[in-house]
């Protein structure tokens, strides 16, 4: 099986699992306990926290809270800030953000949504037009998980705060972290990441939080994670996350250049009479979204699976919906909306796999038309 759905989840790196194996079989202690073994587990947790902090942010400016994944990290940040005034986001956000904003709006709050450009990036001027003196939070994802478009979050955060210095800025960085260069310079207040997108294990995420910014816990209990996320800490998941991030970051530029070339090779080999490109050329190296005119993406997906190729049809979190609201917000019509396919890659993707995928996609489209 050729696996091209890494934006949905990526298999754990064997090196990360090996690094973390000790914390399943030997140092499995509760890090909140007081004996020596527990102190070792606590030290490993703090080392993982420091590793992740140093990977993407000024450790003097930010703290990091481990969570169960990107969704919990997003929810924690949003509901900490969405307590008064209005909140602003865009139509292209992952469901973990978008549904929070819809929930606020359904409860009578003032949630505002900015439009997208055709490639899935946010319309920055339109976004800023929604920001006023009562805006408490603006949320813009770093990399769009369905198109791969990259938003310059540091620049956006700066513009937001020039208009309203009290406004907080958050970003879902799940598809960006350890895939493209990330450095939080102090303008971004919250940044959510997830382990299983980069070779860590499911059930582990983290929220970067600018020091001095108020964060309200969503889970109450024993007061772990500085009182911000109660529950026994997932030391294995945190160590695995940090190990995977360290490995990915060690060659991030080299990987990005190689995978970009592979992405473009896939596009070049697809039948242009059938497939329309949605992903921008200057987007994430790891994602290529196309649409087959007049066809159904989920049917093509099943046909490809039968040929030994796994691809996505958009966000896995929205797979039960007839078509992607994000692609619709980009301005595409019904003739393309139903035919979306998303191929997403890893640093281990090979040129041979690209060739097999291209042939299979062209063959499936030809069989559909036949």
């Amino acid at each position: 099986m050729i696996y091209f759905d890494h934006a949905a989840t990526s298999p754990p790196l064997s090196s990360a699992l090996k690094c973390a194996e000790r914390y399943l079989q030997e140092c499995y202690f509760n890090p909140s306990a007081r004996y020596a073994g527990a102190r070792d587990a606590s030290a490993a947790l703090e080392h993982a926290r420091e590793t992740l902090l140093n990977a993407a942010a000024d450790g003097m400016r930010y703290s990091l809270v481990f969570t169960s994944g990107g969704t919990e990290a997003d929810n924690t940040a949003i509901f900490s800030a969405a307590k008064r005034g209005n909140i602003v986001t865009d139509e292209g956000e992952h469901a973990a953000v978008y549904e929070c904003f819809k929930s606020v709006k359904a409860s009578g709050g003032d949630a505002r949504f900015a439009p997208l450009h055709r490639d899935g990036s946010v319309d920055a001027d339109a976004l800023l037009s929604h920001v006023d003196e009562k805006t408490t939070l603006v949320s813009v994802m770093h990399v769009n998980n369905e198109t791969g478009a990259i938003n310059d979050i540091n620049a956006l955060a700066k513009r937001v705060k020039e208009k309203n210095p009290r406004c907080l800025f958050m970003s879902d960085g799940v598809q960006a972290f350890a895939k493209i260069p990330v450095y939080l310079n102090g303008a971004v207040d919250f940044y959510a990441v997830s382990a299983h997108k980069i070779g860590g294990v499911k059930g582990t995420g983290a929220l970067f939080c600018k020091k001095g910014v108020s964060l309200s816990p969503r889970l109450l209990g024993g007061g772990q994670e500085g009182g911000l996320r109660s529950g026994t800490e997932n030391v294995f998941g945190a160590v695995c996350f940090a190990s995977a991030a360290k490995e990915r970051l060690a060659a991030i530029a080299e990987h990005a250049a190689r995978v970009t070339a592979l992405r473009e090779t896939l596009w070049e080999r697809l039948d242009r009479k059938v497939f329309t490109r949605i992903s921008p050329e200057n987007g994430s190296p790891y994602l290529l979204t196309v649409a087959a005119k007049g066809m159904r993406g989920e049917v093509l997906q099943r046909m490809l699976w039968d040929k030994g190729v796994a691809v996505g049809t958009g966000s896995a979190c929205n797979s039960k919906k007839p078509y992607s609201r994000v692609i619709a917000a980009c301005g595409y019509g019904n003739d393309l909306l139903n035919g979306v396919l998303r191929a997403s890659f890893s640093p281990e993707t090979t040129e041979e796999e690209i060739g097999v995928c291209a042939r299979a996609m062209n063959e499936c489209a030809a069989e559909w038309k036949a």
Side-chain angles (χ1 to χ4, degrees):
M1 174 60 66
I2 292 174
Y3 184 72
F4 277 178
D5 201 17
H6 292 274
T9 193
S10 210
L13 293 172
S14 58
S15 58
L17 289 173
K18 184 176 181 180
C19 173
E21 187 177 10
R22 175 170 178 258
Y23 300 94
L24 281 179
Q25 297 181 337
E26 298 175 23
C27 191
Y28 49 78
F29 308 106
N30 187 323
S32 295
R34 297 183 180 275
Y35 39 79
R39 289 196 295 271
D40 289 344
S42 179
L45 184 70
E46 294 313 307
H47 180 69
R49 193 189 314 276
E50 182 180 349
T51 298
L52 293 171
L53 269 173
N54 291 338
D58 181 347
M60 298 298 291
R61 289 185 175 184
Y62 290 87
S63 59
L64 183 139
V65 179
F66 283 110
T67 67
S68 64
T71 293
E72 184 188 336
D74 285 332
N75 276 239
T76 299
I78 292 168
F79 289 117
S80 291
K83 295 178 179 178
R84 62 189 186 283
N86 63 74
I87 55 176
V88 179
T89 191
D90 62 84
E91 296 286 356
E93 293 296 306
H94 186 278
V97 171
Y98 191 78
E99 292 299 324
C100 290
F101 275 71
K102 282 181 59 180
S103 174
V104 169
K105 192 174 185 68
S107 299
D110 187 357
R112 304 172 181 182
F113 299 85
L116 302 178
H117 294 302
R118 198 160 178 82
D119 67 357
S121 61
V122 64
D123 183 328
D125 291 335
L127 181 86
L128 267 292
S129 72
H130 286 302
V131 177
D132 57 32
E133 70 280 359
K134 294 184 178 179
T135 305
T136 59
L137 176 71
V138 173
S139 181
V140 176
M141 68 198 319
H142 198 169
V143 171
N144 188 292
N145 62 299
E146 296 199 35
T147 73
I150 300 173
N151 293 303
D152 186 340
I153 57 170
N154 286 319
L156 280 171
K158 182 180 178 182
R159 290 184 65 186
V160 165
K161 294 191 175 191
E162 286 173 349
K163 191 167 185 180
N164 180 348
R166 297 189 304 271
C167 181
L168 298 176
F169 189 97
M170 74 157 285
S171 182
D172 181 315
V174 167
Q175 294 295 340
F177 183 67
K179 294 184 177 183
I180 66 171
V182 176
Y183 187 75
L184 306 180
N185 62 12
V188 174
D189 298 287
F190 302 114
Y191 192 75
V193 296
S194 178
H196 75 103
K197 308 294 188 178
I198 63 165
V201 292
K202 299 178 184 69
T204 312
L207 178 66
F208 290 80
C209 180
K210 188 177 176 182
K211 291 179 179 178
V213 174
S214 177
L215 190 65
S216 302
R218 303 295 294 164
L219 296 175
L220 302 177
Q224 290 88 345
E225 292 296 290
L228 295 173
R229 206 279 180 181
S230 291
T232 301
E233 299 96 327
N234 179 6
V235 179
F236 167 77
V239 171
C240 193
F241 191 4
S243 176
K246 187 174 181 179
E247 179 173 332
R248 292 302 194 209
L249 288 163
I252 188 170
E254 176 186 339
H255 289 158
R258 194 181 69 81
V259 177
T260 297
L262 292 176
R263 181 195 68 186
E264 293 307 303
T265 297
L266 176 58
W267 171 237
E268 290 166 5
R269 295 183 182 181
L270 292 180
D271 186 345
R272 305 298 180 84
K273 295 178 182 178
V274 174
F275 295 102
T276 296
R277 180 169 181 159
I278 295 174
S279 295
E281 290 185 14
N282 63 348
S284 169
Y286 292 91
L287 198 152
L288 176 66
T289 296
V290 298
K293 187 174 182 179
M295 302 182 190
R296 296 194 66 84
E298 68 271 22
V299 176
L300 290 173
Q301 183 186 48
R302 290 195 292 270
M303 294 170 70
L304 285 164
W305 178 267
D306 290 341
K307 291 180 180 291
V309 177
V311 300
T313 57
S315 173
C317 299
N318 291 311
S319 60
K320 293 182 180 179
K321 298 188 177 177
Y323 58 80
S324 165
R325 60 168 174 81
V326 174
I327 305 302
C330 292
Y332 292 93
N334 291 334
D335 58 334
L336 292 175
L337 280 176
N338 290 319
V340 172
L341 290 175
R342 180 185 69 177
S344 49
F345 322 110
S346 81
E348 289 71 46
T349 297
T350 67
E351 187 169 359
E352 181 182 4
E353 290 175 329
I354 291 289
V356 172
C357 181
R359 287 193 298 274
M361 289 176 69
N362 290 331
E363 288 171 2
C364 288
E367 291 170 15
W368 175 290
K369 290 191 295 184

